[in-house]
Amino acid sequence: MPSAGVAVALLTNGGGAREVYAALYRELLAELAGVTMPEPFAPPAQPPTVDFAPLVGTYRREGVVITVTERDGAGHARYEFVDGMADFSDPLEIDLLPVTDTVFAGTGVGAAFSEDCMPVVFSTLPDGTGCVYIGMRCGLKVA
């Protein structure tokens, strides 16, 4: 916060880093700079109805396969480490709660990724390729 003359740095490795960040920065920035951080990302109380069918498929990025399905009318993603990253973690099962027709609150990912929910954003690249952003990394739709 340059305007308040405050700089804060946090270095972590593993575990619940984002939860530590959120709690620490909320307190420090409020006390030192009078800044109120936004509430954690979460689905709205009245989520919109979404046609999930166009988003269903398999998405891939280096070391990760994301399989998006629809279960009982709700979105679900399986985030699986593959190839050289296969031993990093068991697959993550993520429920996708609608925020908009392309933005979802992903639950069940645990402290390694974020607080209670993390943004899962579906988009289309300029060439027409579908993609999904999870943890700010883009997986391209391959099937």
Side-chain angles (χ1 to χ4, degrees), residues 19 40-43 105-111 114-118:
E19 288 178 335
F41 179 76
T107 67
V109 293
S114 65
E115 295 179 77
D116 293 335
C117 296
M118 70 180 304

Side-chain angles (χ1 to χ4, degrees), residues 62-136:
E62 187 64 34
V64 174
V65 171
I66 303 155
T67 306
V68 177
T69 58
E70 188 172 1
R71 295 181 181 175
D72 300 322
H76 183 81
R78 180 179 174 90
Y79 188 97
E80 185 175 7
F81 295 96
V82 297
D83 304 327
M85 295 176 60
D87 295 330
F88 282 12
S89 171
D90 291 333
L92 302 173
E93 302 293 337
I94 306 170
D95 291 324
L96 301 173
L97 307 174
V99 175
T100 72
D101 59 345
T102 59
V103 177
F104 296 81
T107 67
V109 293
F113 275 85
S114 65
E115 295 179 77
D116 293 335
C117 296
M118 70 180 304
V120 176
V121 180
F122 292 87
S123 189
T124 304
L125 299 178
D127 69 0
T129 303
C131 62
V132 63
Y133 293 87
I134 298 179
M136 298 185 65

Side-chain angles (χ1 to χ4, degrees), residues 18-19 30 35 37 46 60 69 78 95 104 138 140 142:
R18 292 187 190 201
E19 288 178 335
V35 171
M37 288 183 57
Q46 298 295 323
R60 187 172 176 95
T69 58
R78 180 179 174 90
D95 291 324
F104 296 81
C138 182
L140 302 179
V142 295

Side-chain angles (χ1 to χ4, degrees), residues 14-41:
R18 292 187 190 201
E19 288 178 335
V20 170
Y21 152 81
L24 182 63
Y25 276 47
R26 273 189 183 90
E27 183 176 331
L28 285 175
L29 292 177
E31 182 178 323
L32 300 174
V35 171
T36 302
M37 288 183 57
E39 290 300 314
F41 179 76

